[in-house]
Every structure is written in C-alpha cells, then in structure tokens.
Amino acid sequence: MEILHLGQELLRQKSLPVEEVNDELRATIQAMFDTMLESDGVGLAAPQVGILKRFFVVIADDDVRRVFINPQILSTSQEMCDYEEGCLSIPNVYEKISRPAKITVQALNEQGKPFTLNAEGFLARVIQHEYDHLEGILYIDRGDQEFKEKTVQQFQRRAARKAEKEAAKAARAAKIAAKKAKKAGA
C-alpha cells in the first residue's frame, strides 16, 4: 500500500463510517499492518493509505495488534502529557505535542465486535493520533503554528521537485521514443 503524504488532499478530509465488517475489510486491515510495520510505524489510519473510512490499526509499546473500526473517544483525562510525535504521512519530521494522558475509546474489532478500552501513556497517544487522521487532522495542527507552516512549505517544495523530476523523466522518455520511431520509420 502507498502511504499518502502531507499535501495530498485526502488526508484533510473527514472519514466516513465503515458500513460492514467483512473479509475484504479484514484483508485491507492485514495489508495496513504489513505496510505500517514495513515503514517502522506504530499506527496507520485508513485515510493515510487512500481509504476515506473510519478505521485504523495500532501496535504500540505493548506489541498487541489492535484494530479500531468506527472508533469514538468517550473521555479524555485532564492530565496532559508532552511527547515528540512523528507520522508516516510526514516522514522524518517530529514535534513535541501535548495530548491527554488517558482516554477511553469504544470501537469495533476486526470481527465486528464492540469493545471499550481504557488506554494511557503511549497507547493513548497513538490512538488519539490515529483518530485525528479520521477527522482530517494531522499532528502538526496540534503543535506550534510556525512549525506547521514551515513543515507545509517544506512538503510543498518536495512535491514541486518530485513533479519536476517526473516531468523531465517523461520528456526524456518521449524524446527517446520519438528517436526510436524515427529510426524504425527510416
């Protein structure tokens, strides 16, 4: 699966509820776990892989595979905790973000069974981070505004350079194809 990056519009859209938990969804969930682990991530939300649906996968510091389908955060603690966050959709960029230290979340698992989880520490943070993706919110939205602006500009420059490289590559390929066609016709 391809992970979308900052600047791709789908990341800023609110996800729609999952209508049915079925084998197709379970296969997508497995592919998301594989993609997340290959990318050294601890969480991955459906919008990050181009699916505008309300589900995400997590393997936090306890190494338990968790699936959250149509999650709802029921409560958050008043106690806050700061931690340097990163995101697979904003690679190699980190910032200290303040989030509630404890949460209670309700969701469906990959079998479609409802569960409620009280989470704290790193697991609570990862769940909140992934939940934000379902709302079209990125962690940089929760940090320093100047940092956010610089990060957005950096990714805009990266996207522009990538587009330039792809255009140059396409132009070279077209030039080579034209030479081959001319040679073949001669």
Side-chain angles (χ1 to χ4, degrees):
M1 300 180 111
E2 181 183 335
I3 296 174
L4 302 183
H5 290 132
L6 178 62
Q8 292 180 279
E9 285 304 311
L10 193 111
L11 290 174
R12 293 305 197 166
Q13 296 177 26
K14 192 168 180 173
S15 297
L16 303 169
V18 172
E19 309 257 333
E20 180 184 358
V21 179
N22 55 29
D23 288 341
E24 183 181 342
L25 179 63
R26 283 186 278 278
T28 300
I29 287 167
Q30 182 57 53
M32 285 174 61
F33 271 119
D34 294 343
T35 300
M36 179 187 78
L37 292 169
E38 288 168 12
S39 302
D40 292 325
V42 294
L44 186 64
Q48 291 180 272
V49 291
I51 303 168
L52 205 56
K53 293 290 184 177
R54 297 186 72 78
F55 67 97
F56 58 82
V57 300
V58 169
I59 301 178
D61 49 359
D62 59 1
D63 285 335
V64 176
R65 291 169 58 109
R66 290 186 172 91
V67 176
F68 296 81
I69 300 170
N70 295 334
Q72 293 179 296
I73 294 179
L74 302 177
S75 66
T76 60
S77 66
Q78 291 199 348
E79 177 191 354
M80 301 296 281
C81 179
D82 291 346
Y83 190 84
E84 190 172 73
E85 287 189 30
C87 181
L88 296 176
S89 291
I90 311 175
N92 305 314
V93 176
Y94 304 92
E95 183 178 23
K96 192 177 286 189
I97 302 296
S98 186
R99 293 190 187 267
K102 299 177 184 176
I103 63 165
T104 301
V105 61
Q106 188 174 61
L108 301 176
N109 66 18
E110 65 266 40
Q111 302 308 319
K113 303 283 186 233
F115 69 93
T116 302
L117 176 68
N118 294 312
E120 60 183 85
F122 187 65
L123 177 59
R125 174 171 300 279
V126 174
I127 292 168
Q128 292 173 81
H129 177 109
E130 299 310 325
Y131 183 87
D132 276 354
H133 278 296
L134 305 182
E135 298 295 316
I137 298 168
L138 300 174
Y139 81 95
I140 59 172
D141 300 332
R142 299 200 177 276
D144 177 72
Q145 188 63 31
E146 186 178 328
F147 174 82
K148 176 184 173 180
E149 290 170 9
K150 284 169 47 175
T151 302
V152 168
Q153 290 170 359
Q154 174 186 358
F155 274 77
Q156 287 171 339
R157 287 190 303 272
R158 281 187 195 178
R161 283 194 304 270
K162 183 178 178 183
E164 287 172 8
K165 285 180 183 179
E166 288 174 1
K169 185 177 177 181
R172 283 192 302 276
K175 192 174 182 179
I176 291 168
K179 283 183 180 180
K180 285 181 179 179
K182 187 175 181 180
K183 224 177 203 183

